[in-house]
Amino acid sequence: MFITFEGLDFCGKSTQVKLLTSYLEAEGNGVEVIREPGGTSISEKVRNVLLDRANEKMFMETELLLYSASRAQLVRERIIPLLKKDYYVISDRFHDSSIAYQGYGRGIDISRVKEIQLFAIGEAVPDLTFLIDIPVKEVNKRKAKFEPGTWDRIEVSGDQFYERVRQGYFEIATNSNHYKILDGLNSIEHIHQEIVEVINNFSI
Ligand code: TMP
């Protein structure tokens, strides 16, 4: 089963990925966690280019293609072989991040972004996606706990960018039948229980 997590930066995805992984492993399942961009040695190199604040000259088209290139490698090198071995593959972000951030956020034509994603992901279509939703003011509150010098090239984006990304996620989620939207303002444990319930009731 291929499960992906989506949401704005600081929404709590990574915490939930860890909790779900422990839960599924305790149930005796083979589980592999990947993060996007990254997850293979080639993709991690691309990640460094993408998130490095020194690369402020990067055009949005370059950004989209680099995220997609990193993903194309990850799909073929790890995701598809793992799914063939019946693993649970859990990805901290996947192609909908590109649709939300580069499409809705940066303003690249959505149908073009989607077309590139189909090319990049091939047959690796998620079975289930959790969108952990938090308002933009909560992103700022959580981000403020970290030194501004540590924010990456995307995290330095302003409120309007994040509002567009959030609206984008809502549109993607409401037009899809494999999405579950979770309120990221609830407690970590509450969100985890919701996720476990969805997984246990899920049938492919
Ligand atoms: P992370 O903070 O969840 O590791 O993600 C890295 C950043 O990259 C985050 O700000 C979201 C952004 N991103 C995109 O803009 N497009 C994408 O396709 C992906 C996977 C991430």
Side-chain angles (χ1 to χ4, degrees):
M1 185 173 175
F2 184 23
I3 305 163
T4 61
F5 282 77
E6 295 285 354
L8 298 182
D9 299 272
F10 306 100
C11 69
K13 289 178 286 93
S14 309
T15 304
Q16 293 301 332
V17 166
K18 281 195 200 107
L19 290 172
L20 177 61
T21 304
S22 306
Y23 172 82
L24 289 171
E25 281 175 345
E27 298 278 295
N29 300 292
V31 188
E32 276 284 322
V33 176
I34 51 190
R35 71 161 177 183
E36 272 250 47
T40 71
S41 60
I42 294 171
S43 311
E44 289 291 333
K45 285 180 188 159
V46 179
R47 177 187 178 91
N48 291 337
V49 175
L50 276 164
L51 300 184
D52 187 348
R53 271 167 64 178
N55 291 333
E56 58 186 21
K57 278 194 203 147
M58 190 181 296
F59 289 98
M60 60 185 182
E61 292 83 358
T62 314
E63 183 178 279
L64 169 65
L65 291 170
L66 285 176
Y67 276 114
S68 308
S70 158
R71 183 165 303 129
Q73 183 67 26
L74 176 64
V75 162
R76 287 153 188 84
E77 192 176 322
R78 289 196 59 206
I79 298 179
I80 291 177
L82 285 164
L83 291 173
K84 284 194 175 144
K85 284 197 277 175
D86 272 345
Y87 272 70
Y88 277 89
V89 178
I90 305 180
S91 189
D92 191 335
R93 299 194 178 282
F94 198 55
H95 67 317
D96 287 339
S97 283
S98 287
I99 300 173
Y101 278 78
Q102 281 65 55
Y104 289 90
R106 298 282 190 230
I108 304 177
D109 178 65
I110 304 294
S111 57
R112 182 69 65 87
V113 180
K114 285 185 179 165
E115 199 183 318
I116 293 169
Q117 295 321 300
L118 290 180
F119 180 62
I121 71 172
E123 60 194 274
V125 180
D127 298 303
L128 185 59
T129 300
F130 293 102
L131 170 60
I132 304 184
D133 175 58
I134 54 169
V136 174
K137 64 175 185 313
E138 184 67 17
V139 172
N140 291 333
K141 206 168 116 191
R142 296 183 187 186
K143 191 159 66 170
K145 292 186 186 142
F146 299 86
E147 280 296 311
T150 66
W151 302 347
D152 66 36
R153 202 178 56 80
I154 305 288
E155 287 165 357
V156 295
S157 306
D159 286 6
Q160 287 182 352
F161 174 79
Y162 275 112
E163 289 292 358
R164 289 195 298 274
V165 175
R166 187 174 185 224
Q167 286 315 313
Y169 270 131
F170 283 142
E171 282 192 37
I172 298 166
T174 46
N175 289 312
S176 157
N177 51 15
H178 72 272
Y179 253 84
K180 175 79 186 156
I181 304 179
L182 303 167
D183 183 349
L185 296 180
N186 283 325
S187 72
I188 291 174
E189 188 48 36
H190 180 100
I191 299 170
H192 174 58
Q193 287 311 328
E194 284 185 307
I195 291 171
V196 166
E197 205 179 308
V198 173
I199 298 278
N200 287 337
N201 291 327
F202 186 83
S203 57
I204 294 181

